[in-house]
Amino acid sequence: MDYEGLNVARALEETIQREAAEAEEASPPDIPPDSWVRKNIKSYPRAEKLQLPDPAPAPMSVGDVLSRRRSCRNFSGEAVQLTALASALGGALLTRGDALSRPYPSAGARWPVETYVIARNVEGLAEGAYHYDATNHMLALVNANISAEWLEKCFRVQEFSPMPQAVAVATATFMRSWVRYGIRGSRFAYQEAGAAIMALDLASTAVGLDTVWLGGFDDVLLSEALGLDWSQDSETPVLGLGIGRAVSE
């Protein structure tokens, strides 16, 4: 198996640590700067947008969700309903009120994690890569040219056939955390990505969807598909979650 696309991770980690050290403050100021308290919200004003259905209340208890959660590696060809996907996204990630609070924690409320959805077989949603707007519960189309073949190539280390009906990707915009926490901010960003994906995993399970965590992918292909620009935003994919319907037993 060709792991060339995965091997950029080592160079990326070296870059992350170097640039984090450069961004670190020598000592915290008496008055927090604007960069510490500014709300971090990514938007795509020119992109085609889809307002998602309101999230439905979770039909089961936390205990039931935890007992049912499994890693699925046999996905079917059955389409995922957009209402179910919207409920999972909203239940796990949606901002609550004006305080920019979400169902998962963020160190210093820096919110370095963004979430994208790659739709392969979602009824009511065209194939493509979308950014999830956690403030307005909307999807913004960032790339309409996403094929099943590309998806399998990008995540080929997982050896799925077929791939999940949708893949959620958590990215880390590291500078949001670096400006306040320096090198330790990288650790916080990774922690938050795990918390966000875990929340989405459980929310997906609660609405009857099947999931699997995706830690192996081609960094270059995925970044290009999502339109990520490291030099401009210090943003890179760090974790994925396959979401779909399992093969019936």
Side-chain angles (χ1 to χ4, degrees):
M1 181 176 291
D2 179 14
Y3 288 92
E4 181 179 355
L6 304 174
N7 290 336
V8 299
R10 176 177 296 178
L12 178 59
E13 288 302 318
E14 293 174 353
T15 300
I16 289 172
Q17 292 304 308
R18 182 180 66 254
E19 296 190 12
E22 294 173 355
E24 188 168 16
E25 295 280 353
S27 60
D30 295 331
I31 300 176
D34 178 66
S35 60
W36 282 25
V37 297
R38 182 173 56 244
K39 292 182 178 180
N40 291 312
I41 301 173
K42 188 171 186 178
S43 63
Y44 291 83
R46 298 182 181 179
E48 178 183 340
K49 297 178 179 62
L50 174 66
Q51 181 66 56
L52 293 172
D54 291 338
M60 62 181 72
S61 68
V62 173
D64 287 339
V65 173
L66 290 172
S67 67
R68 295 190 185 194
R69 199 217 73 80
R70 298 286 189 278
S71 293
C72 174
R73 292 190 173 275
N74 295 295
F75 291 92
S76 70
E78 179 185 357
V80 165
Q81 297 295 319
L82 180 59
T83 52
L85 181 61
S87 290
L89 290 168
L93 309 174
L94 189 59
T95 298
R96 299 175 295 201
D98 297 331
L100 207 62
S101 175
R102 299 180 188 176
Y104 60 90
S106 178
R110 302 310 305 132
W111 305 113
V113 172
E114 297 287 343
T115 306
Y116 297 80
V117 176
I118 301 172
R120 187 184 70 84
N121 189 8
V122 179
E123 188 172 326
L125 186 63
E127 286 189 355
Y130 299 81
H131 172 261
Y132 177 65
D133 182 338
T135 301
N136 300 300
H137 194 46
M138 299 174 64
L139 291 176
L141 181 63
V142 297
N143 189 345
N145 298 314
I146 300 293
S147 66
E149 293 75 18
W150 172 89
L151 196 59
E152 291 182 0
K153 182 179 180 181
C154 187
F155 291 92
R156 65 189 182 278
V157 70
Q158 306 295 335
E159 298 182 342
F160 288 127
S161 184
M163 283 292 294
Q165 286 85 335
V167 175
V169 179
T171 68
T173 305
F174 286 101
M175 187 58 71
R176 297 178 185 176
S177 294
W178 289 345
V179 295
R180 181 163 183 173
Y181 298 111
I183 292 176
R184 183 167 288 269
S186 300
R187 184 183 303 177
F188 292 153
Y190 288 126
Q191 291 171 353
E192 183 176 325
I197 289 297
M198 188 73 246
L200 184 55
D201 187 350
L202 296 179
S204 298
T205 301
V207 296
L209 298 175
D210 300 289
T211 61
V212 64
W213 287 49
L214 303 173
F217 46 79
D218 187 312
D219 293 72
V220 174
L221 281 179
L222 191 53
S223 294
E224 290 176 349
L226 300 179
L228 308 183
D229 187 341
W230 176 265
S231 63
Q232 179 176 335
D233 301 317
S234 301
E235 183 179 9
T236 188
V238 294
L239 190 58
L241 182 72
I243 304 172
R245 299 281 188 189
V247 173
S248 300
E249 297 180 354

